[in-house]
Amino acid sequence: MAATASEFARGLVRLGIADVALSAPAAPPALSGVEMPLREGTVLITYTPRPGRRLSPLITMPAAEVTLAFTNVAEPERRAFVDRFDRVFQRGGG
């Protein structure tokens, strides 16, 4: 995923996890163990920054590994959450 820790934290707030607060200068190296309750079960969301991708000498795109681990969540609810997650973090229509 191409998102800084602070951008990712803002996305989590839009998903409904209101207690996530990261600021760019004080962002931890990994945002791990953020658990969100669903109708049935939970999803554990982990964000780990990776080296950015250099697009030009002046531009570097952020990169991160994001993991969604579902516990006791049926397939239809899992699909609905992933669709919502994708919409929240979608950029530029693509």
Side-chain angles (χ1 to χ4, degrees):
M1 176 178 277
T4 64
S6 59
E7 291 167 337
F8 190 75
R10 285 192 299 273
L12 291 179
V13 170
R14 289 192 309 268
L15 273 175
I17 303 173
D19 60 349
V20 176
L22 294 178
S23 59
L31 170 63
S32 88
V34 176
E35 192 169 58
M36 180 175 184
L38 301 174
R39 191 171 346 120
E40 294 181 18
T42 60
V43 59
L44 179 66
I45 304 169
T46 305
Y47 170 95
T48 305
R50 297 290 181 224
R53 294 176 181 89
R54 182 155 303 279
L55 301 178
S56 75
L58 299 175
I59 300 172
T60 300
M61 179 182 292
E65 178 181 329
V66 176
T67 305
L68 305 174
F70 294 91
T71 304
N72 298 321
V73 180
E75 184 61 30
E77 186 176 10
R78 187 179 313 180
R79 241 176 300 152
F81 179 83
V82 170
D83 288 345
R84 184 171 160 229
F85 184 90
D86 287 344
R87 280 191 308 276
V88 166
F89 288 98
Q90 181 177 353
R91 291 183 177 194

